Amino acid sequence: MISRICVTLILISMFIIPAMVVMDLNDLAYSTSGEKASVSQAFALPQKHTTSLNRVERRGQVLYAYYCALCHGESGNADGFNAYNMSTPPAKHSDAKVMATLSDTQIKKIIREGGPSLGRSHQMPPWGGVLTNQEITDLTAFIRTLSVADSGKY
């Protein structure tokens, strides 16, 4: 008797309850304008975020957000939180003309030894004691992506 009750409960939980819960998704699918939409439009799965940054540039992006964006801004427009408090504005990494005048070696030197190493602002601190050579290379790669006009890389 008890086993029959258990089997009955199992069958109810497997077939009857799910059938009661299932609704016609087509009845739920309406667009934002109130018109009927297809199920695929109403219940679209989230898409994987795509980026055109390579692995080195993505690592540099993380470092840039932590060490550089406070002065240079998230997009390299020299509009970071601290930029307005500086006597000399920080370099605008998004300016393709300015960035084209600097080699990767020069950018790495400025990051490693600070602004005065190339006659730039003394307010740009040296990061060579904090960042590894690989991290400086990663940062340089990301900084280069900021000055590429309309590339959609960042």
Side-chain angles (χ1 to χ4, degrees):
M1 177 82 167
I2 293 178
S3 64
R4 280 189 175 182
I5 294 173
C6 289
V7 169
T8 304
L9 291 174
I10 291 171
L11 289 174
I12 289 172
S13 67
M14 289 176 57
F15 298 106
I16 297 173
I17 293 174
M20 292 169 41
V21 173
V22 173
M23 294 182 224
D24 184 6
L25 293 178
N26 288 318
D27 290 339
L28 297 176
Y30 288 92
S31 68
T32 55
S33 64
E35 297 176 8
K36 190 124 170 125
S38 71
V39 173
S40 62
Q41 290 172 330
F43 300 102
L45 294 173
Q47 300 298 312
K48 182 179 178 183
H49 177 70
T50 58
T51 179
S52 58
L53 297 177
N54 64 37
R55 186 175 61 203
V56 172
E57 293 165 345
R58 283 193 309 265
R59 287 192 312 249
Q61 182 181 29
V62 172
L63 293 166
Y64 192 88
Y66 188 80
Y67 292 103
C68 310
L70 198 58
C71 296
H72 295 280
E74 290 181 22
S75 299
N77 290 321
D79 59 355
F81 180 79
N82 282 345
Y84 303 103
N85 299 320
M86 301 173 80
S87 59
T88 304
K92 190 171 183 181
H93 296 146
S94 62
D95 187 341
K97 289 180 183 178
V98 171
M99 296 308 293
T101 65
L102 296 171
S103 69
D104 286 355
T105 304
Q106 290 173 315
I107 294 172
K108 289 176 185 179
K109 183 177 177 105
I110 292 172
I111 294 169
R112 186 176 293 110
E113 299 173 19
S117 67
L118 286 180
R120 306 273 173 150
S121 172
H122 69 281
Q123 293 176 308
M124 168 62 189
W127 292 102
V130 176
L131 301 171
T132 66
N133 286 335
Q134 181 60 55
E135 289 171 328
I136 292 171
T137 298
D138 297 346
L139 261 175
T140 303
F142 178 70
I143 287 169
R144 286 292 184 201
T145 69
L146 295 173
S147 63
V148 178
D150 297 12
S151 69
K153 287 188 105 172
Y154 181 68

